Amino acid sequence: MTLLNRKIIDEADFTLIKVLGDAVCANEDQIRRYMSSLMSRSETSKRLDRLRTNGVVDRWKVRIRGDEETRPPAPFTLGVAGYRLLKHYYSDQFFMAPDRWDNYGVGGLKRYVSMNELRCQFIEKKVVSKWKWNARLANNARYKFPMSAAEVKTPNGNINFLIDRAQMNQNFIGYFRDKFENWKYVYNKYGNLPISDFPVNPQIVIIYTSTISIAEAIHKELLLDTLPFNILFLVEELINENLESAYYQPLKHQKLQRINVHLQGNY
């Protein structure tokens, strides 16, 4: 590609672009953490700034409505040049086209940043063997896919997580209701929720929510304990305390019970 041939970017830049493409949308701190084994935090930031000037990456300005002084860490996505570069070398892999963010909006950016915080922690603690965005079920594009799938290591063997997070500025109850109705059909047909290109492991559907109150609202409306597959909530506001104890199990009578999910990695 021209960028590489003209020495506008080097191999370290290319690795950084690929890491961002694989993350879809991540904030600066997350990208620094992904790159920590290859370069310093300041070096990562310098390269991101330079890549912005060439249209290789895009940086988004996000503010909290009603508080103009609050500026969350800026999300980064692939720019047009970065997207074309990666599709040239990895044509069979998924990368988010820059123009699709016009449809997803700020809510979509925040959704991926939140998911990348979980992905970062899984990688940092070395508890994940595989991660795939928009993983296909039973190799059938008609089935609704989870936002991501992860093969997670536990002391009793690996487990496949089907992780989903709704966009909170939309109808998230309807989002999960439609998806789980589709997954009930898949489960009844196959006896599980087979993830294409993943090892056959026990499965847990993970609903990743920002707060406990949102988890309670979802369970109240959908009665998740009546579904045929295993479901747990993973609560974002608790994962920094302890990733293993941030889970809630939906029980009868719209109740949630906090539980531990023991993971096996290098803490």
Side-chain angles (χ1 to χ4, degrees):
M1 285 291 287
T2 303
L3 291 171
L4 280 170
N5 295 339
R6 292 169 56 192
K7 309 296 185 183
I8 295 174
I9 65 173
D10 58 22
E11 291 299 326
D13 290 328
F14 186 81
T15 300
L16 176 55
I17 297 163
K18 180 62 163 60
V19 166
L20 176 57
D22 289 340
V24 183
C25 173
N27 65 35
E28 189 166 351
D29 176 67
Q30 292 165 348
I31 300 169
R32 287 168 166 178
R33 288 153 66 191
Y34 284 138
M35 297 294 295
S36 61
S37 64
L38 300 176
M39 63 184 69
S40 68
R41 294 172 63 88
S42 61
E43 179 67 16
T44 299
S45 295
K46 289 178 182 177
R47 288 179 180 271
L48 285 171
D49 284 341
R50 180 165 49 78
L51 292 171
R52 286 172 56 203
T53 65
N54 294 309
V56 179
V57 304
D58 290 332
R59 184 180 185 181
W60 298 77
K61 293 181 180 180
V62 177
R63 288 186 173 88
I64 297 175
R65 184 176 297 176
D67 187 355
E68 295 303 318
E69 299 302 316
T70 302
R71 297 184 181 183
F76 282 85
T77 60
L78 289 177
V80 172
Y83 174 76
R84 289 177 177 172
L85 177 70
L86 292 184
K87 290 304 288 185
H88 174 77
Y89 285 99
Y90 305 98
S91 59
D92 61 330
Q93 295 186 24
F94 167 79
F95 301 106
M96 187 72 80
D99 58 359
R100 293 182 64 181
W101 294 112
D102 294 336
N103 296 326
Y104 289 130
V106 172
L109 294 168
K110 291 180 178 179
R111 187 177 179 226
Y112 273 97
V113 169
S114 295
M115 287 288 285
N116 266 298
E117 184 56 37
L118 178 60
R119 183 172 179 255
C120 269
Q121 295 214 21
F122 278 160
I123 292 172
E124 289 167 342
K125 293 176 171 59
K126 296 181 172 61
V127 299
V128 65
S129 300
K130 185 170 184 175
W131 178 286
K132 184 176 179 61
W133 299 106
N134 304 328
R136 184 173 291 188
L137 297 185
N139 202 30
N140 191 327
R142 292 179 300 173
Y143 299 147
K144 294 182 181 296
F145 48 78
M147 188 173 178
S148 70
E151 185 184 14
V152 178
K153 295 181 283 188
T154 79
N156 297 318
N158 291 4
I159 296 175
N160 292 340
F161 281 0
L162 289 79
I163 310 170
D164 221 304
R165 183 182 177 102
Q167 195 163 312
M168 290 299 107
N169 61 341
Q170 296 179 342
N171 177 14
F172 60 90
I173 298 294
Y175 171 87
F176 282 119
R177 179 180 286 112
D178 291 346
K179 181 158 289 189
F180 292 158
E181 281 298 318
N182 181 255
W183 288 4
K184 279 171 62 178
Y185 171 82
V186 177
Y187 187 90
N188 290 333
K189 182 175 181 179
Y190 295 97
N192 58 12
L193 297 171
I195 308 171
S196 301
D197 302 321
F198 261 66
V200 177
N201 295 316
Q203 302 171 326
I204 301 177
V205 172
I206 302 292
I207 304 177
Y208 184 41
T209 65
S210 56
T211 65
I212 299 170
S213 61
I214 291 175
E216 291 172 337
I218 293 171
H219 185 32
K220 180 179 179 180
E221 291 293 328
L222 301 184
L223 303 177
L224 300 175
D225 60 292
T226 63
L227 294 174
F229 38 84
N230 295 322
I231 296 181
L232 292 177
F233 286 101
L234 179 54
V235 180
E236 184 179 11
E237 64 182 0
L238 300 176
I239 64 173
N240 287 325
E241 294 178 16
N242 188 335
L243 180 59
E244 293 188 329
S245 64
Y247 298 84
Y248 282 81
Q249 181 179 12
L251 304 176
K252 294 180 180 180
H253 309 299
Q254 303 174 9
K255 294 182 179 180
L256 296 177
Q257 180 181 6
R258 191 170 185 176
I259 65 170
N260 289 338
V261 173
H262 298 294
L263 305 175
Q264 183 170 310
N266 298 329
Y267 278 75

